[in-house]
Amino acid sequence: MKYNSTARSRSSRPDIRKSFRSVSKKTSAAPKTPGPAGGQVTRREKSAVVRLLAGRGHRLDQLLRIAGLARSTYFYHLSHPERVTRADLEPLVGEIWGRTPNGCGHRQVRMCLVHEFGQRVSAKSVLRVMRRMGLRCAIRSRNPWKRYDSYRGETGDHVHNLLKRDFGAARPFSKLGTDVTEFKVAGGKAYLAPVYDMASKEIVAWDVSRSPDLGQQKRLLAMLAERLPAGAEPILHSD
């Protein structure tokens, strides 16, 4: 019987380890969890709430289990209070930021602190102070490392889609289509701009150029105007 009890105790050790690991995983919560109003509750904030409730007579172990905090994490936050970064700079930062109607960024604020007030401070420290004060520049410059984008929104006149993907035509010079195609040739590239008649299936005008500029389109339209029959009012479609 003694041997059996020893074997039973040894066989139960893996279960104890598994339960200990599961409890450890439950207590090691994420650094931030969703709050009741959709915000983020940090471990430091949880520790402050646990300390407040523990001072009112509640058991500490139950509070830590409900909050999902490890005991070591709780006592670490008690022994290491949060330090406020450069609180002495808040009046100067507020004065510099308020000089312009839309405020200014943390780099400009840091430059003024260094050269005007003789403060030794890094840009990250100024950024922390501005975030704590709720100061943010309303004008943001473009990122110089961002890929170039030529799109500038809706500019010029808006042309409606008259064809609505109906590319069939009953008579010539009623519906025309145009586009620019790039070809690789010896010594560079060439660009072909044709005008396609959707009724006769013919190329009624064209132009070849080294660059797809406005001059090519002007030459193409001039050639098309010479070949248009009298009384024709075509729809020129382009993507």
Side-chain angles (χ1 to χ4, degrees):
M1 295 297 294
K2 184 177 180 181
Y3 175 78
N4 293 336
S5 62
T6 305
R8 190 181 300 110
S9 62
R10 290 180 179 177
S11 62
S12 62
R13 287 180 182 177
D15 297 335
I16 297 175
R17 293 175 181 176
K18 289 181 181 179
S19 60
F20 178 77
R21 290 173 183 173
S22 62
V23 172
S24 300
K25 290 181 180 179
K26 292 180 181 179
T27 55
S28 60
K32 292 185 178 181
T33 55
Q40 299 293 332
V41 181
T42 62
R43 291 177 177 176
R44 186 175 297 276
E45 294 172 348
K46 289 182 179 180
S47 301
V49 175
V50 170
R51 181 182 182 182
L52 177 63
L53 296 178
R56 297 181 179 180
H58 298 280
R59 293 184 55 179
L60 180 61
D61 55 345
Q62 295 180 356
L63 294 174
L64 293 177
R65 184 173 64 254
I66 295 173
L69 283 176
R71 191 179 184 89
S72 59
T73 304
Y74 169 70
F75 285 104
Y76 173 82
H77 289 304
L78 291 185
S79 59
H80 295 78
E82 185 178 7
R83 297 187 304 172
V84 180
T85 304
R86 299 301 301 270
D88 57 312
L89 297 179
E90 291 186 0
L92 300 178
V93 171
E95 190 270 332
I96 297 172
W97 187 86
R99 293 177 181 177
T100 56
N102 296 315
C104 51
H106 67 281
R107 295 182 180 88
Q108 184 175 353
V109 173
R110 188 254 176 187
M111 181 179 61
C112 295
L113 289 173
V114 172
H115 296 284
E116 294 183 18
F117 300 97
Q119 297 287 338
R120 295 188 60 182
V121 61
S122 64
K124 289 186 177 180
S125 298
V126 176
L127 181 60
R128 294 191 188 99
V129 174
M130 293 181 62
R131 287 178 176 176
R132 186 172 67 247
M133 298 176 62
L135 302 180
R136 185 177 181 181
C137 182
I139 300 177
R140 181 178 179 182
S141 60
R142 290 185 175 273
N143 188 354
W145 303 105
K146 186 179 179 181
R147 185 177 178 180
Y148 174 74
D149 186 9
S150 60
Y151 181 71
R152 293 294 180 269
E154 295 290 339
T155 58
D157 297 333
H158 180 71
V159 180
H160 298 281
N161 186 9
L162 301 179
L163 293 184
K164 299 186 183 300
R165 301 189 64 83
D166 182 13
F167 301 111
R171 62 183 186 277
F173 289 97
S174 60
K175 295 180 181 179
L176 305 177
T178 182
D179 199 358
V180 180
T181 305
E182 177 185 288
F183 294 95
K184 292 184 179 180
V185 296
K189 298 179 181 179
Y191 297 89
L192 171 64
V195 176
Y196 176 75
D197 192 339
M198 298 181 185
S200 62
K201 314 300 181 184
E202 296 179 352
I203 302 297
V204 296
W206 64 89
D207 186 84
V208 180
S209 176
R210 283 288 186 178
S211 60
D213 52 6
L214 183 60
Q216 182 185 30
Q217 299 300 318
K218 289 182 178 180
R219 294 190 300 269
L220 178 66
L221 294 177
M223 183 177 182
L224 177 62
E226 294 177 357
R227 300 194 173 191
L228 280 179
E233 296 181 356
I235 298 176
L236 185 60
H237 178 79
S238 176
D239 57 355

